[in-house]
Coordinates of all heavy atoms in Angstrom, one line a residue:
M1 N 36.0 -175.5 -100.6 CA 35.0 -176.0 -99.5 C 34.2 -177.0 -100.3 O 34.0 -176.9 -101.5 CB 34.1 -174.8 -99.0 CG 33.4 -175.1 -97.8 SD 31.7 -175.6 -98.2 CE 31.0 -176.0 -96.7
F2 N 33.7 -177.9 -99.4 CA 33.0 -179.2 -99.9 C 31.8 -178.7 -100.8 O 31.6 -179.2 -102.0 CB 32.5 -179.9 -98.8 CG 31.7 -181.2 -99.2 CD1 32.3 -182.3 -99.5 CD2 30.3 -181.1 -99.2 CE1 31.5 -183.5 -99.9 CE2 29.4 -182.2 -99.5 CZ 30.1 -183.5 -99.9
Y3 N 31.0 -177.8 -100.3 CA 29.8 -177.4 -101.0 C 30.2 -176.8 -102.4 O 29.5 -177.1 -103.4 CB 29.0 -176.4 -100.2 CG 27.7 -175.9 -100.9 CD1 26.5 -176.6 -100.8 CD2 27.8 -174.7 -101.7 CE1 25.4 -176.3 -101.6 CE2 26.7 -174.4 -102.5 CZ 25.4 -175.1 -102.4 OH 24.4 -174.7 -103.0
A4 N 31.2 -175.9 -102.4 CA 31.5 -175.2 -103.6 C 32.0 -176.3 -104.6 O 31.6 -176.3 -105.8 CB 32.7 -174.3 -103.3
N5 N 32.7 -177.3 -104.1 CA 33.1 -178.3 -105.0 C 32.1 -179.2 -105.6 O 32.2 -179.7 -106.7 CB 34.3 -179.2 -104.4 CG 35.5 -178.3 -104.2 OD1 35.8 -177.4 -104.9 ND2 36.3 -178.7 -103.1
R6 N 31.2 -179.7 -104.7 CA 30.4 -180.7 -105.0 C 28.9 -180.4 -105.2 O 28.2 -181.2 -105.8 CB 30.4 -181.9 -104.0 CG 30.1 -183.2 -104.5 CD 30.0 -184.3 -103.6 NE 31.4 -184.8 -103.2 CZ 31.6 -185.7 -102.3 NH1 30.6 -186.5 -101.9 NH2 32.7 -186.0 -102.0
C7 N 28.5 -179.2 -104.8 CA 27.1 -178.9 -104.9 C 26.7 -177.7 -105.7 O 25.7 -177.6 -106.4 CB 26.5 -178.7 -103.5 SG 27.2 -179.9 -102.3
A8 N 27.7 -176.7 -105.6 CA 27.5 -175.4 -106.1 C 27.3 -175.5 -107.6 O 26.5 -174.6 -108.3 CB 28.5 -174.4 -105.8
G9 N 27.9 -176.4 -108.4 CA 27.6 -176.4 -109.8 C 26.2 -176.5 -110.3 O 25.8 -176.0 -111.4
C10 N 25.5 -177.2 -109.5 CA 24.0 -177.2 -109.7 C 23.2 -176.2 -108.8 O 22.3 -175.4 -109.4 CB 23.4 -178.6 -109.5 SG 24.2 -179.8 -110.6
H11 N 23.4 -176.2 -107.6 CA 22.7 -175.5 -106.6 C 23.1 -174.0 -106.5 O 22.3 -173.2 -105.9 CB 22.7 -176.1 -105.2 CG 22.0 -177.4 -105.2 ND1 20.6 -177.4 -105.1 CD2 22.4 -178.6 -105.2 CE1 20.2 -178.7 -105.1 NE2 21.3 -179.4 -105.1
G12 N 24.3 -173.7 -107.0 CA 24.6 -172.3 -107.0 C 25.3 -172.0 -105.7 O 25.1 -172.6 -104.7
N13 N 26.2 -170.9 -105.6 CA 27.0 -170.5 -104.6 C 26.1 -170.2 -103.2 O 26.4 -170.3 -102.1 CB 28.0 -169.5 -104.8 CG 29.2 -170.0 -105.6 OD1 29.5 -171.1 -105.5 ND2 29.5 -169.1 -106.5
T14 N 25.0 -169.5 -103.6 CA 24.0 -169.1 -102.5 C 22.8 -170.0 -102.4 O 21.8 -169.6 -101.7 CB 23.6 -167.6 -102.7 OG1 22.9 -167.6 -104.0 CG2 24.8 -166.7 -102.7
G15 N 22.9 -171.2 -103.2 CA 21.7 -172.1 -102.9 C 20.4 -171.8 -103.9 O 19.4 -172.3 -103.6
A16 N 20.7 -170.8 -104.7 CA 19.4 -170.3 -105.4 C 19.1 -171.2 -106.5 O 18.1 -171.0 -107.1 CB 19.8 -168.9 -106.0
G17 N 19.9 -172.2 -106.8 CA 19.5 -173.2 -107.9 C 20.0 -172.6 -109.3 O 19.5 -173.0 -110.2
D18 N 21.1 -171.8 -109.2 CA 21.5 -171.1 -110.4 C 23.0 -171.4 -110.8 O 23.6 -170.6 -111.3 CB 21.3 -169.6 -110.3 CG 22.1 -169.1 -109.1 OD1 22.7 -169.9 -108.3 OD2 22.2 -167.9 -109.0
G19 N 23.4 -172.6 -110.4 CA 24.8 -173.1 -110.7 C 24.9 -173.2 -112.3 O 23.8 -173.3 -113.0
P20 N 26.1 -173.3 -112.8 CA 26.2 -173.4 -114.2 C 25.5 -174.6 -114.9 O 25.2 -174.6 -116.0 CB 27.7 -173.3 -114.4 CG 28.4 -173.5 -113.1 CD 27.2 -173.1 -112.1
M21 N 25.5 -175.8 -114.1 CA 24.8 -176.9 -114.6 C 23.3 -177.0 -114.6 O 22.6 -177.7 -115.1 CB 25.4 -178.1 -113.9 CG 26.7 -178.6 -114.6 SD 27.7 -179.6 -113.8 CE 27.4 -180.1 -112.2
A22 N 22.7 -176.0 -113.7 CA 21.4 -176.1 -113.4 C 20.4 -176.0 -114.7 O 19.5 -176.6 -114.7 CB 20.9 -175.0 -112.3
R23 N 20.8 -175.2 -115.6 CA 19.9 -175.0 -116.7 C 19.7 -176.3 -117.5 O 18.8 -176.4 -118.3 CB 20.3 -173.8 -117.5 CG 21.5 -174.0 -118.4 CD 21.8 -173.0 -119.3 NE 22.4 -171.9 -118.5 CZ 23.2 -171.0 -119.1 NH1 23.3 -170.9 -120.4 NH2 23.8 -170.1 -118.2
M24 N 20.6 -177.2 -117.4 CA 20.6 -178.4 -118.2 C 19.7 -179.5 -117.5 O 19.5 -180.5 -118.0 CB 22.0 -179.1 -118.5 CG 22.7 -178.0 -119.3 SD 24.4 -178.6 -119.7 CE 25.2 -178.4 -118.3
L25 N 19.2 -179.2 -116.2 CA 18.5 -180.2 -115.5 C 17.0 -180.0 -115.7 O 16.6 -178.9 -115.7 CB 19.0 -180.1 -114.0 CG 20.4 -180.2 -113.7 CD1 20.7 -179.9 -112.3 CD2 20.8 -181.7 -114.0
N26 N 16.3 -181.2 -115.5 CA 14.9 -181.2 -115.4 C 14.4 -182.2 -114.7 O 14.6 -183.5 -115.0 CB 14.3 -181.2 -117.0 CG 12.9 -181.3 -116.9 OD1 12.2 -180.7 -116.0 ND2 12.2 -181.8 -117.9
P27 N 13.9 -181.9 -113.4 CA 13.6 -180.6 -112.9 C 14.8 -179.9 -112.5 O 16.0 -180.6 -112.2 CB 12.8 -180.9 -111.6 CG 13.1 -182.4 -111.3 CD 13.5 -183.0 -112.5
Q28 N 14.7 -178.7 -112.4 CA 15.9 -177.9 -111.9 C 15.8 -177.8 -110.4 O 14.9 -177.9 -109.7 CB 15.8 -176.3 -112.4 CG 16.0 -176.4 -113.9 CD 16.2 -175.1 -114.6 OE1 16.0 -174.0 -113.8 NE2 16.6 -175.1 -115.9
P29 N 17.1 -177.7 -109.7 CA 17.1 -177.6 -108.3 C 16.3 -176.3 -107.9 O 16.4 -175.2 -108.4 CB 18.6 -177.5 -107.8 CG 19.3 -177.4 -109.2 CD 18.3 -177.7 -110.3
R30 N 15.6 -176.4 -106.7 CA 14.8 -175.2 -106.2 C 15.8 -174.2 -105.6 O 17.0 -174.5 -105.4 CB 13.8 -175.7 -105.2 CG 14.5 -176.2 -103.8 CD 13.5 -176.5 -102.7 NE 12.7 -177.6 -102.9 CZ 11.3 -177.6 -103.0 NH1 10.7 -176.4 -102.9 NH2 10.6 -178.6 -103.3
D31 N 15.1 -173.1 -105.2 CA 15.9 -172.1 -104.5 C 15.8 -172.5 -102.9 O 14.9 -172.5 -102.4 CB 15.2 -170.8 -104.6 CG 15.9 -169.6 -103.8 OD1 16.9 -169.9 -103.2 OD2 15.3 -168.6 -103.9
L32 N 17.0 -172.9 -102.5 CA 17.1 -173.4 -101.1 C 17.0 -172.4 -100.1 O 16.9 -172.6 -98.8 CB 18.4 -174.2 -101.0 CG 18.8 -175.4 -101.8 CD1 20.0 -176.0 -101.6 CD2 17.6 -176.4 -101.6
A33 N 16.9 -171.2 -100.5 CA 16.7 -170.0 -99.6 C 15.2 -169.9 -99.2 O 14.9 -169.1 -98.2 CB 17.3 -168.7 -100.0
N34 N 14.4 -170.4 -100.0 CA 12.9 -170.2 -99.9 C 12.5 -170.6 -98.5 O 12.6 -171.8 -97.9 CB 12.3 -171.1 -100.9 CG 10.7 -170.9 -100.8 OD1 10.2 -171.3 -99.8 ND2 10.2 -170.2 -101.7
H35 N 11.9 -169.6 -97.8 CA 11.6 -169.9 -96.3 C 10.5 -170.9 -96.1 O 10.5 -171.5 -95.1 CB 11.4 -168.5 -95.6 CG 10.3 -167.7 -96.1 ND1 9.0 -167.8 -95.7 CD2 10.1 -167.0 -97.2 CE1 8.1 -167.0 -96.3 NE2 8.8 -166.6 -97.4
I36 N 9.6 -170.9 -97.0 CA 8.5 -171.9 -96.9 C 9.1 -173.3 -97.0 O 8.9 -174.2 -96.1 CB 7.3 -171.7 -98.0 CG1 6.8 -170.3 -97.6 CG2 6.3 -172.7 -97.7 CD1 5.9 -169.8 -98.8
W37 N 10.0 -173.6 -98.0 CA 10.5 -174.8 -98.1 C 11.5 -175.2 -96.9 O 11.5 -176.2 -96.3 CB 11.5 -174.9 -99.4 CG 12.2 -176.1 -99.5 CD1 11.7 -177.3 -99.8 CD2 13.6 -176.4 -99.2 NE1 12.8 -178.3 -99.8 CE2 14.0 -177.6 -99.3 CE3 14.6 -175.4 -98.7 CZ2 15.3 -178.1 -99.0 CZ3 15.8 -175.9 -98.3 CH2 16.2 -177.3 -98.6
Q38 N 12.2 -174.1 -96.5 CA 13.0 -174.3 -95.3 C 12.3 -174.8 -94.1 O 12.8 -175.7 -93.3 CB 13.8 -173.0 -94.9 CG 14.9 -172.6 -95.9 CD 16.2 -173.3 -95.4 OE1 16.4 -173.8 -94.3 NE2 17.3 -173.1 -96.2
E39 N 11.0 -174.2 -93.9 CA 10.3 -174.6 -92.7 C 9.6 -175.9 -92.8 O 9.4 -176.6 -91.8 CB 9.4 -173.4 -92.3 CG 10.1 -172.2 -91.6 CD 9.4 -170.8 -91.9 OE1 8.3 -170.8 -92.2 OE2 10.3 -169.9 -91.8
M40 N 9.3 -176.3 -94.0 CA 8.6 -177.4 -94.4 C 9.6 -178.8 -94.1 O 9.1 -179.9 -94.1 CB 8.1 -177.5 -95.7 CG 6.7 -177.1 -95.9 SD 6.4 -176.9 -97.7 CE 7.5 -178.0 -98.5
T41 N 10.9 -178.5 -94.3 CA 11.8 -179.6 -94.5 C 12.6 -179.8 -93.1 O 13.2 -178.9 -92.8 CB 12.9 -179.2 -95.6 OG1 12.0 -178.8 -96.8 CG2 13.7 -180.4 -96.1
D42 N 12.7 -181.1 -92.6 CA 13.5 -181.3 -91.5 C 14.9 -181.7 -92.0 O 15.2 -182.1 -93.1 CB 12.8 -182.2 -90.5 CG 12.5 -183.6 -91.2 OD1 13.0 -183.9 -92.2 OD2 11.7 -184.3 -90.6
D43 N 15.8 -181.7 -90.9 CA 17.2 -182.0 -91.2 C 17.3 -183.4 -91.6 O 18.2 -183.7 -92.5 CB 18.0 -181.8 -90.0 CG 18.2 -180.3 -89.6 OD1 17.8 -179.5 -90.5 OD2 18.9 -180.0 -88.6
A44 N 16.5 -184.4 -91.1 CA 16.5 -185.8 -91.4 C 16.3 -186.0 -92.9 O 17.1 -186.8 -93.6 CB 15.6 -186.6 -90.6
S45 N 15.4 -185.2 -93.5 CA 15.2 -185.5 -94.9 C 16.3 -184.7 -95.8 O 16.6 -185.3 -96.9 CB 13.7 -185.0 -95.3 OG 13.5 -183.7 -95.0
L46 N 16.9 -183.8 -95.2 CA 18.0 -183.2 -96.0 C 19.1 -184.1 -96.0 O 19.7 -184.4 -97.0 CB 18.4 -181.9 -95.3 CG 17.5 -180.7 -95.4 CD1 18.1 -179.5 -94.6 CD2 17.2 -180.2 -96.9
I47 N 19.4 -184.7 -94.8 CA 20.5 -185.7 -94.7 C 20.3 -186.9 -95.6 O 21.3 -187.3 -96.3 CB 20.7 -186.1 -93.3 CG1 21.2 -184.8 -92.4 CG2 21.7 -187.3 -93.1 CD1 21.2 -185.0 -90.9
K48 N 19.1 -187.3 -95.7 CA 18.8 -188.5 -96.5 C 19.1 -188.2 -97.9 O 19.7 -189.1 -98.6 CB 17.4 -189.0 -96.1 CG 17.1 -190.3 -97.0 CD 15.8 -191.0 -96.4 CE 15.4 -192.3 -97.1 NZ 16.3 -193.5 -97.0
I49 N 18.5 -187.1 -98.4 CA 18.8 -186.9 -99.9 C 20.3 -186.7 -100.3 O 20.8 -187.1 -101.3 CB 17.8 -185.8 -100.5 CG1 17.7 -185.9 -102.0 CG2 18.2 -184.4 -100.0 CD1 16.6 -185.0 -102.7
I50 N 20.9 -186.0 -99.3 CA 22.4 -185.7 -99.6 C 23.2 -187.1 -99.4 O 24.0 -187.2 -100.3 CB 22.9 -184.7 -98.5 CG1 22.2 -183.3 -98.8 CG2 24.3 -184.5 -98.6 CD1 22.3 -182.3 -97.7
H51 N 22.9 -187.9 -98.5 CA 23.6 -189.1 -98.4 C 23.2 -190.1 -99.5 O 24.1 -190.8 -100.0 CB 23.3 -189.8 -97.1 CG 24.1 -189.2 -95.9 ND1 23.8 -189.6 -94.6 CD2 25.0 -188.3 -95.9 CE1 24.6 -188.8 -93.8 NE2 25.4 -188.1 -94.5
E52 N 22.0 -190.2 -99.8 CA 21.5 -191.3 -100.7 C 21.1 -190.8 -102.2 O 20.9 -191.7 -102.9 CB 20.3 -192.0 -100.0 CG 20.8 -192.6 -98.7 CD 19.7 -193.3 -97.9 OE1 18.8 -193.9 -98.5 OE2 19.9 -193.5 -96.7
G53 N 21.0 -189.6 -102.3 CA 20.6 -189.0 -103.5 C 19.2 -189.0 -103.8 O 18.3 -189.5 -103.1
G54 N 18.8 -188.2 -104.9 CA 17.4 -188.0 -105.3 C 16.6 -189.3 -105.5 O 15.5 -189.4 -105.1
G55 N 17.3 -190.2 -106.2 CA 16.6 -191.4 -106.4 C 16.0 -192.2 -105.3 O 15.0 -192.9 -105.3
A56 N 16.7 -192.2 -104.2 CA 16.3 -192.9 -102.9 C 15.2 -192.3 -102.3 O 14.5 -193.0 -101.5 CB 17.5 -192.8 -101.9
V57 N 14.8 -191.1 -102.6 CA 13.6 -190.5 -102.0 C 12.6 -190.1 -103.0 O 11.7 -189.3 -102.9 CB 14.0 -189.3 -101.2 CG1 14.8 -189.7 -100.0 CG2 14.7 -188.2 -102.0
G58 N 12.6 -190.8 -104.2 CA 11.6 -190.6 -105.3 C 11.7 -189.2 -105.9 O 10.8 -188.7 -106.6
R59 N 12.8 -188.6 -105.9 CA 13.2 -187.4 -106.6 C 14.1 -187.6 -107.8 O 14.5 -188.7 -108.1 CB 13.7 -186.4 -105.5 CG 12.9 -186.2 -104.3 CD 11.7 -185.4 -104.5 NE 12.0 -184.1 -104.9 CZ 12.2 -183.1 -103.9 NH1 12.2 -183.4 -102.7 NH2 12.6 -181.9 -104.2
S60 N 14.4 -186.5 -108.3 CA 15.2 -186.4 -109.6 C 16.6 -187.3 -109.4 O 17.2 -187.1 -108.4 CB 15.6 -185.2 -110.1 OG 16.5 -185.1 -111.1
L61 N 16.9 -188.2 -110.3 CA 18.2 -188.8 -110.3 C 19.4 -187.9 -110.5 O 20.6 -188.3 -110.3 CB 18.2 -189.9 -111.3 CG 17.2 -191.1 -111.1 CD1 17.2 -192.1 -112.4 CD2 17.6 -192.0 -109.9
S62 N 19.2 -186.8 -111.1 CA 20.2 -185.8 -111.2 C 20.8 -185.3 -109.9 O 21.9 -184.8 -109.9 CB 19.7 -184.6 -111.9 OG 19.1 -184.9 -113.1
M63 N 20.1 -185.4 -108.9 CA 20.7 -185.1 -107.5 C 21.4 -186.3 -107.0 O 21.0 -187.3 -106.7 CB 19.4 -184.8 -106.6 CG 19.9 -184.8 -105.1 SD 21.1 -183.5 -104.8 CE 21.7 -184.0 -103.1
P64 N 22.8 -186.2 -107.1 CA 23.7 -187.3 -106.7 C 23.7 -187.6 -105.3 O 23.5 -186.8 -104.4 CB 25.0 -186.8 -107.4 CG 24.9 -185.3 -107.2 CD 23.5 -184.9 -107.3
A65 N 24.1 -188.9 -104.9 CA 24.3 -189.3 -103.7 C 25.7 -189.0 -103.2 O 26.6 -188.9 -104.0 CB 24.2 -190.8 -103.5
S66 N 26.0 -188.6 -102.0 CA 27.2 -188.5 -101.4 C 27.5 -189.5 -100.2 O 27.5 -189.2 -99.1 CB 27.4 -187.0 -100.9 OG 27.5 -186.0 -102.0
P67 N 27.6 -190.7 -100.7 CA 27.7 -191.7 -99.7 C 28.9 -191.7 -98.7 O 28.8 -192.1 -97.5 CB 27.8 -193.1 -100.3 CG 28.1 -192.7 -101.8 CD 27.7 -191.3 -102.0
D68 N 29.9 -190.9 -99.1 CA 31.2 -190.7 -98.3 C 30.8 -189.9 -97.1 O 31.4 -189.9 -95.9 CB 32.3 -190.1 -99.2 CG 31.8 -188.8 -99.9 OD1 30.8 -188.8 -100.5 OD2 32.6 -187.8 -99.9
L69 N 29.7 -189.0 -97.2 CA 29.4 -188.1 -96.1 C 28.7 -189.0 -94.9 O 28.7 -188.5 -93.7 CB 28.3 -187.1 -96.4 CG 28.9 -185.9 -97.2 CD1 27.9 -184.9 -97.4 CD2 30.2 -185.3 -96.4
K70 N 28.3 -190.2 -95.2 CA 27.8 -191.1 -94.2 C 28.7 -191.3 -93.1 O 28.4 -191.5 -91.9 CB 27.2 -192.4 -94.8 CG 25.9 -192.4 -95.4 CD 25.5 -193.6 -95.9 CE 24.2 -193.5 -96.8 NZ 23.7 -194.8 -97.3
D71 N 30.0 -191.4 -93.3 CA 31.1 -191.7 -92.5 C 31.6 -190.4 -91.8 O 32.6 -190.5 -91.1 CB 32.1 -192.5 -93.1 CG 31.7 -193.8 -93.6 OD1 30.8 -194.4 -93.1 OD2 32.1 -194.2 -94.7
N72 N 30.9 -189.3 -92.2 CA 31.4 -188.0 -91.7 C 30.4 -187.0 -91.2 O 29.9 -186.2 -91.8 CB 32.2 -187.4 -92.9 CG 33.1 -186.2 -92.6 OD1 32.9 -185.7 -91.4 ND2 34.2 -186.0 -93.3
P73 N 29.9 -187.4 -90.0 CA 28.8 -186.6 -89.4 C 29.1 -185.1 -89.3 O 28.3 -184.3 -89.3 CB 28.6 -187.3 -88.0 CG 29.6 -188.3 -87.9 CD 30.3 -188.5 -89.1
K74 N 30.4 -184.9 -89.1 CA 30.8 -183.5 -88.8 C 30.7 -182.7 -90.1 O 29.9 -181.6 -90.1 CB 32.4 -183.5 -88.5 CG 32.8 -182.1 -88.1 CD 34.1 -182.1 -87.4 CE 34.7 -180.8 -87.1 NZ 35.3 -180.2 -88.3
L75 N 31.2 -183.3 -91.2 CA 30.9 -182.6 -92.5 C 29.5 -182.5 -92.9 O 28.9 -181.5 -93.4 CB 31.8 -183.3 -93.5 CG 32.0 -182.6 -94.9 CD1 32.3 -181.1 -94.9 CD2 32.9 -183.4 -95.9
T76 N 28.7 -183.7 -92.6 CA 27.4 -183.6 -92.9 C 26.6 -182.4 -92.2 O 25.8 -181.7 -92.8 CB 26.7 -184.9 -92.5 OG1 27.2 -185.9 -93.2 CG2 25.2 -184.9 -92.7
A77 N 26.9 -182.3 -91.0 CA 26.3 -181.3 -90.1 C 26.8 -179.9 -90.7 O 25.9 -178.9 -90.7 CB 26.8 -181.4 -88.7
E78 N 27.9 -179.8 -91.2 CA 28.4 -178.4 -91.7 C 27.6 -178.0 -93.0 O 27.2 -177.0 -93.2 CB 29.9 -178.4 -92.1 CG 30.7 -178.3 -90.9 CD 32.2 -178.5 -91.2 OE1 32.6 -178.5 -92.4 OE2 32.9 -178.7 -90.3
V79 N 27.4 -179.1 -93.8 CA 26.6 -178.9 -95.0 C 25.2 -178.5 -94.7 O 24.5 -177.5 -95.3 CB 26.6 -180.2 -95.9 CG1 25.7 -180.0 -97.2 CG2 28.0 -180.4 -96.4
I80 N 24.6 -179.2 -93.7 CA 23.1 -178.9 -93.3 C 23.1 -177.5 -92.8 O 22.2 -176.7 -93.1 CB 22.7 -179.8 -92.3 CG1 22.6 -181.3 -92.7 CG2 21.3 -179.5 -91.7 CD1 21.9 -181.5 -94.0
Q81 N 24.1 -177.1 -92.0 CA 24.2 -175.7 -91.5 C 24.3 -174.7 -92.5 O 23.5 -173.6 -92.4 CB 25.4 -175.6 -90.4 CG 25.3 -174.5 -89.4 CD 26.5 -174.6 -88.6 OE1 27.5 -174.9 -89.0 NE2 26.2 -174.3 -87.3
L82 N 25.2 -175.0 -93.6 CA 25.2 -174.1 -94.7 C 23.9 -173.9 -95.4 O 23.4 -172.8 -95.7 CB 26.3 -174.6 -95.6 CG 26.5 -173.7 -96.9 CD1 27.2 -172.3 -96.4 CD2 27.4 -174.3 -97.9
I83 N 23.1 -175.0 -95.7 CA 21.9 -175.1 -96.3 C 20.9 -174.2 -95.5 O 20.1 -173.3 -96.0 CB 21.3 -176.4 -96.5 CG1 22.2 -177.1 -97.7 CG2 19.8 -176.4 -97.0 CD1 21.8 -178.7 -97.9
R84 N 21.0 -174.4 -94.2 CA 20.1 -173.6 -93.3 C 20.4 -172.1 -93.3 O 19.5 -171.2 -93.3 CB 20.1 -174.1 -91.9 CG 19.6 -175.5 -91.6 CD 18.1 -175.5 -92.2 NE 17.4 -176.8 -91.8 CZ 16.3 -177.3 -92.4 NH1 15.6 -176.3 -93.0 NH2 15.7 -178.3 -91.9
S85 N 21.7 -171.8 -93.5 CA 22.1 -170.4 -93.5 C 21.7 -169.8 -94.8 O 21.5 -168.4 -94.8 CB 23.6 -170.2 -93.5 OG 24.3 -170.6 -94.7
F86 N 21.3 -170.4 -95.8 CA 20.9 -169.9 -97.2 C 19.5 -169.1 -96.9 O 19.2 -168.2 -97.5 CB 20.6 -170.9 -98.3 CG 21.9 -171.5 -98.8 CD1 21.9 -172.8 -99.2 CD2 23.0 -170.7 -98.8 CE1 23.0 -173.4 -99.7 CE2 24.3 -171.4 -99.2 CZ 24.2 -172.6 -99.8
K87 N 18.7 -169.6 -95.9 CA 17.5 -168.9 -95.6 C 17.5 -167.5 -95.5 O 16.6 -166.7 -95.7 CB 16.8 -169.7 -94.4 CG 15.4 -169.3 -94.1 CD 14.9 -170.0 -92.8 CE 13.5 -169.4 -92.5 NZ 13.1 -169.9 -91.1
R88 N 18.7 -167.1 -94.7 CA 18.7 -165.8 -94.5 C 18.7 -164.7 -95.7 O 18.4 -163.5 -95.5 CB 20.1 -165.4 -93.6 CG 20.0 -165.9 -92.2 CD 21.2 -165.4 -91.5 NE 21.8 -166.5 -90.8 CZ 23.0 -167.0 -91.0 NH1 23.7 -166.4 -91.8 NH2 23.4 -168.1 -90.3
R89 N 19.1 -165.4 -96.8 CA 19.1 -164.5 -98.0 C 17.6 -164.2 -98.4 O 17.4 -163.2 -99.2 CB 19.7 -165.3 -99.1 CG 20.0 -164.5 -100.5 CD 20.9 -165.4 -101.4 NE 20.4 -166.6 -101.7 CZ 19.4 -166.9 -102.5 NH1 18.7 -165.9 -103.1 NH2 18.9 -168.1 -102.8
G90 N 16.7 -164.9 -97.8 CA 15.4 -164.6 -98.2 C 14.7 -165.6 -99.1 O 13.7 -166.4 -98.9
G91 N 15.1 -165.6 -100.3 CA 14.5 -166.4 -101.4 C 13.1 -165.8 -101.8 O 12.8 -164.7 -101.4
S92 N 12.5 -166.7 -102.6 CA 11.1 -166.2 -103.1 C 10.1 -167.0 -102.8 O 10.2 -168.3 -102.3 CB 11.2 -166.0 -104.6 OG 11.7 -167.2 -105.1
Ligands
HEC101 C1 24.3 -182.7 -110.9 C2 23.6 -181.6 -110.2 C3 23.5 -181.6 -108.6 C4 24.5 -181.7 -107.7 C5 26.0 -181.8 -108.0 C6 23.9 -181.6 -106.5 N1 22.5 -181.6 -106.5 FE1 21.2 -181.4 -105.0 N2 19.7 -181.5 -106.3 C7 19.8 -181.5 -107.6 C8 18.4 -181.5 -108.4 C9 18.1 -181.5 -109.8 C10 17.5 -181.4 -107.3 C11 16.0 -181.5 -107.2 C12 15.5 -182.9 -107.2 C13 14.0 -182.9 -107.4 O1 13.3 -182.0 -107.3 O2 13.5 -183.9 -107.9 C14 18.4 -181.5 -106.0 C15 17.8 -181.5 -104.7 C16 18.5 -181.3 -103.6 C17 17.9 -181.2 -102.3 C18 16.6 -181.3 -101.9 C19 15.8 -179.9 -102.2 C20 14.4 -180.2 -102.3 O3 13.8 -179.7 -103.3 O4 13.7 -180.7 -101.3 C21 19.0 -180.9 -101.4 C22 18.8 -180.6 -100.0 C23 20.2 -181.0 -102.2 N3 19.8 -181.1 -103.5 C24 21.4 -180.7 -101.6 C25 22.7 -180.9 -102.4 C26 23.9 -181.0 -101.9 C27 24.3 -180.7 -100.3 C28 24.9 -181.3 -102.8 C29 26.3 -181.5 -102.8 C30 26.7 -182.5 -101.8 C31 24.0 -181.5 -104.1 N4 22.7 -181.3 -103.6 C32 24.6 -181.7 -105.2 C33 21.0 -181.5 -108.4 C34 22.2 -181.5 -107.8

């Protein structure tokens, strides 16, 4: 699956920010299950950082852009839906 291949290495399979590459990053990716963050963050800003990368929104350059998703609204929507589903895990 797209997320497993391209995102989980840093963000972890459940979005907890515990992928094998995460410990080498500074700042580290946050826990995407965190309900406060989930409620603060709208889909448009998720789409922007995923399409354009952290650098485009003043965040860490370690968060890579996925420009190929710009031409693929269906896959973009699936990734957003997956990130939203992490909320159910609860987080901290
Ligand atoms: C090389 C590691 C790496 C990969 C691969 C990666 N990310 Fe990230 N991502 C990060 C880091 C580090 C941050 C935190 C940036 C910051 O806080 O400045 C981040 C931030 C984010 C955020 C914003 C969260 C917040 O704090 O507001 C989202 C959403 C996100 N990533 C989704 C994805 C998705 C979806 C993919 C796969 C298409 C992906 N990332 C791939 C490292 C990565």
Side-chain angles (χ1 to χ4, degrees):
M1 193 265 174
F2 179 86
Y3 178 88
N5 291 335
R6 206 185 285 185
C7 319
C10 296
H11 288 280
N13 289 325
T14 62
D18 59 355
M21 276 164 354
R23 74 175 72 161
M24 293 178 293
L25 301 172
N26 180 23
Q28 297 193 348
R30 70 169 69 242
D31 181 0
L32 299 178
N34 182 290
H35 60 97
I36 298 168
W37 173 79
Q38 283 272 354
E39 280 148 27
M40 266 169 29
T41 310
D42 59 16
D43 288 355
S45 55
L46 292 178
I47 291 169
K48 187 161 173 75
I49 194 169
I50 293 166
H51 282 172
E52 297 179 25
V57 295
R59 306 285 294 276
S60 169
L61 294 172
S62 306
M63 167 59 196
S66 290
D68 52 321
L69 282 189
K70 284 187 187 177
D71 302 325
N72 197 334
K74 187 167 173 282
L75 187 54
T76 298
E78 282 171 19
V79 172
I80 299 302
Q81 202 175 36
L82 182 71
I83 290 173
R84 292 305 186 189
S85 77
F86 292 149
K87 185 182 175 191
R88 282 189 236 117
R89 189 171 55 75
S92 49

